[in-house]
Amino acid sequence: MRPARAKVNLWLNVVGRRADGYHLLDSLIAFTDLADEIEVAPAGDLSLEIVGPGAAALDGDDAADNLVLKAARLLAGRAGVAPRAALRLTKRIPVAAGLGGGSADAAATLRALVDLWRIAMPEEELFDLAASLGADVPMCLAGQPAVATGIGERLAPAPRLPDCAILLVNPGVALPTPAVFRARSGDFSAGLPIGPGWSDLAALAADLARRGNDLTAAAISLQPVVADVLDRLRSSDGIAHVAMSGSGATCFGLYASIEAAQRAASHLPTAWWRHAGRLV
């Protein structure tokens, strides 16, 4: 069983745009204890079963378009093996929520199938394969805090993050990433230098506040409820920092303790999805 951890963009700055239309980013990536799970077993063909609390959100998906199956077929083709495995995805990360769930699932699938099929593939080649599945897949394959640049494919180790709790909140709306980028307007941000690290949560929060998330206004223009989520988090006791993750609609708050995050979660509307946990 492989965990596929939810990714959080602690900051996200859009610093330019390539000639092919892809935006250039500067983002601090971290991972949380919220995770999907991938299980693989030998089989005569390739199949995928999706279970768990988030499975219904994937009902009706074209199986050929599912990143898990794409990852399996791509790896088999690159390694020259038959794509035979029974895959089981336990889905907990909300879909189209700015948490990289599909990318994390694909990355976990690659790791699991490399072991199942006993593939001897250099890490560099595996990361190259992951990049062909999407810009977020390599960072999920690494699974470590990182500063992502380029279109998200260039990763540099991030300074150590201080211990803290995180509350993830999604109001139950989807925000497809391409739509959010299309709605973005205004100048590009200037990439800021990164210091040696953060001594505590207050120092991290101050740096995050300086940088922010350049897609927030675009996301709110498409789903105004995102602003409501941010406002509720800002008013919670013990809050250190509030922002939207990725292209939304999930927002997050950072707290010094898991108890503070849980208390804040208890005051949110019952219809909103939430997860109080930790960065890992």
Side-chain angles (χ1 to χ4, degrees), residues 72-169:
R73 293 190 178 104
L74 189 64
L75 178 64
R78 181 74 66 94
V81 302
R84 295 172 181 165
L87 309 176
R88 179 182 170 95
L89 168 63
T90 301
K91 192 69 186 165
R92 299 187 182 93
I93 302 172
V95 175
L99 296 174
S103 297
D105 297 340
T109 299
L110 292 176
R111 292 287 189 199
L113 290 178
V114 162
D115 288 347
L116 178 69
W117 293 336
R118 298 181 182 179
I119 295 171
M121 181 176 289
E123 280 287 284
E124 182 177 338
E125 185 176 356
L126 189 62
F127 272 84
D128 178 67
L129 186 151
S132 69
L133 291 165
D136 282 356
V137 182
M139 64 183 71
C140 293
L141 190 68
Q144 299 291 331
V147 176
T149 55
I151 61 171
E153 85 287 8
R154 298 177 191 164
L155 303 174
R160 183 184 178 280
L161 299 174
D163 291 336
C164 64
I166 186 167
L167 173 58
L168 302 170
V169 183

Side-chain angles (χ1 to χ4, degrees), residues 10-274:
L10 294 179
W11 76 63
L12 193 158
N13 297 136
V14 182
V15 299
R17 189 172 186 176
R18 298 195 317 197
D20 61 6
Y22 281 94
H23 288 81
L24 299 173
L25 309 176
D26 182 300
S27 184
L28 175 60
I29 304 299
F31 293 86
T32 80
D33 58 356
L34 172 67
D36 295 341
E37 291 175 347
I38 289 283
E39 299 172 76
V40 300
D45 56 7
L46 184 64
S47 64
L48 172 63
E49 178 188 13
I50 305 176
V51 299
L58 296 176
D59 281 353
D61 263 20
D62 183 349
D65 290 335
N66 187 285
L67 269 180
V68 168
L69 292 176
K70 282 187 176 181
R73 293 190 178 104
L74 189 64
L75 178 64
R78 181 74 66 94
V81 302
R84 295 172 181 165
L87 309 176
R88 179 182 170 95
L89 168 63
T90 301
K91 192 69 186 165
R92 299 187 182 93
I93 302 172
V95 175
L99 296 174
S103 297
D105 297 340
T109 299
L110 292 176
R111 292 287 189 199
L113 290 178
V114 162
D115 288 347
L116 178 69
W117 293 336
R118 298 181 182 179
I119 295 171
M121 181 176 289
E123 280 287 284
E124 182 177 338
E125 185 176 356
L126 189 62
F127 272 84
D128 178 67
L129 186 151
S132 69
L133 291 165
D136 282 356
V137 182
M139 64 183 71
C140 293
L141 190 68
Q144 299 291 331
V147 176
T149 55
I151 61 171
E153 85 287 8
R154 298 177 191 164
L155 303 174
R160 183 184 178 280
L161 299 174
D163 291 336
C164 64
I166 186 167
L167 173 58
L168 302 170
V169 183
N170 188 290
V173 297
L175 272 173
T177 298
V180 178
F181 272 100
R182 285 194 298 269
R184 192 200 74 87
S185 61
D187 296 333
F188 295 118
S189 290
L192 298 174
I194 298 170
W198 304 279
S199 57
D200 54 22
L201 177 55
L204 174 62
D207 203 12
L208 298 182
R210 274 198 312 143
R211 300 168 186 265
N213 183 330
D214 292 347
L215 297 178
T216 304
I220 291 172
S221 73
L222 297 174
Q223 292 286 4
V225 69
V226 171
D228 298 335
V229 177
L230 293 170
D231 287 343
R232 291 292 291 265
L233 288 172
R234 288 190 190 102
S235 66
S236 61
D237 291 339
I239 189 68
H241 178 71
V242 173
M244 186 180 76
S245 178
S247 56
T250 301
C251 301
F252 68 90
L254 298 181
Y255 301 82
S257 70
I258 188 71
E259 292 79 14
Q262 290 169 341
R263 283 195 300 271
S266 70
H267 294 296
L268 296 172
T270 56
W272 291 0
W273 174 91
R274 81 288 310 272

